[in-house]
Amino acid sequence: MTQDTAAAAQFAAPPASQADPFTPPATSALWRRDFLLGAATAAYQIEGAVREDGRLPSIWDTFSATPGKVLAGDTGETACDHYHRWEADLDLLTQLHFEAYRFSIAWPRVMDEAGRPNAKGIAFYRRLLERLKEKGIRTFATLYHWDLPQHLEDRGGWLNRDTAYRFADYADLMSRELKGLVDSWMTLNEPWCSAYLGYGNGHHAPGLANGRYATQAMHHLLLGHGLAVTVLRANDPASAKGIVANVGRGTADSPSEADVRAARRFEVQHNAWILDPLLKGEYPRELFELWPGTEPLVLDGDMETIAAPLDFLGINYYFRTNVKSDGAHGFVEAPPEGVERTQMGWEVHPDGLRDLLTGFARTYDNLPPIYITENGMASDDSVRDGRVDDTQRIAFLKRHLAAVNEAMDAGVDIRGYFVWSLLDNFEWAFGYERRFGVVHVDYGTQVRTPKRSAELIARFLAQRRALDVA
């Protein structure tokens, strides 16, 4: 028996008397073998090794090293040390029976300032992908998960139109070097966060705060996406191409017309700002009524490039936001009392995921197939007697998977679901305090401990595989 097989058996056959609070009902579409269940990570959050093998500084290296920007002064310098421990981390995917893995490529690791390939950085991702293929795990590679090379930010970053073309160059290199190893390419992760948190309010790298900056950065991000889709299709035609959007459910604090309009405008700002240009080829007019004077500079042909056809759309969902009118044209948050929240302070609201998915299907006639590319929660997990009992996460995942199933029953084409995250990791401006993983990481020793949620996911996937074999 191999080490992987032995570890898998550990989770596949628990005592029959042990209650299972995760496994979906027999009628759930989640039992279908063509519905992928995977785990997700991101390069800066797990890799570490920020100065090894030719990797260049990123905006998150700069931002996290700036006093006061990240909780406790944490940085991604070591993170989960995945750059050195990747083989064991991929073994975890096998042990837990995950069928797909979504990860990101660090742009600063694979190219130098002149745009020339960095062979050592590229070789790291090639080894990673080859091992995943050997294991029979589907590969989903994100090109940009927020770690812009610092030398590009020094030239204006996403405020500079040229960055969109440099992103296309990067996509061109990666799709030529890794052709045939990636099942699905994702151009951008959460452009809303990159544009709004990075350039609009300064909570994320590069830490700028200007409304016009946010909309111009978004335009260049989406332009880079459209340019990248073209080169990905040319270089790696057998792979699927998509993008990942974080979406937010906005609900009205009262049935008043003003509050209902406020909730709609919340969703325009969070969802339509990204999805309308991708799927309609235009920005929503209401966005610039909400943010007057922030219209980006759009050149002829830009919107056609941005609206390049997608093979799939990645959706990241975590919580809803209850809002009320600000007395003018916008909204302010109106947090409800007595609701369940995570360690992040986010409300647990699985119905919001279902409502968004069914709403998108009604709004966009050309909505492509969907993957839930991130869903999960942070909790203050600790290891006790060799175990991590993350009861709230187990309930969270089961309820959100049930919401996905409800959306599928309503006719939404959803192909899979990725848990965020495989590992506890560097949670951006919150550092290492907030734990999203289904595997606990001791950051001092780098010891990995699968949590109870991971054990239950593994049990379900083993049961599903056994039914398929039978």
Side-chain angles (χ1 to χ4, degrees), residues 248-285:
R249 176 67 171 132
T251 56
D253 195 49
S254 80
S256 73
E257 181 180 347
D259 285 357
V260 170
R261 182 175 63 249
R264 184 181 70 248
R265 290 199 161 176
F266 172 90
E267 292 198 357
V268 166
Q269 189 241 46
H270 275 74
N271 308 332
W273 185 17
I274 296 91
L275 298 183
D276 276 15
L278 291 171
L279 300 174
K280 293 183 176 181
E282 61 186 17
Y283 288 108
R285 185 178 307 156

Side-chain angles (χ1 to χ4, degrees), residues 12-27:
S17 60
Q18 193 169 340
D20 185 342
F22 177 80
T23 300
T27 55

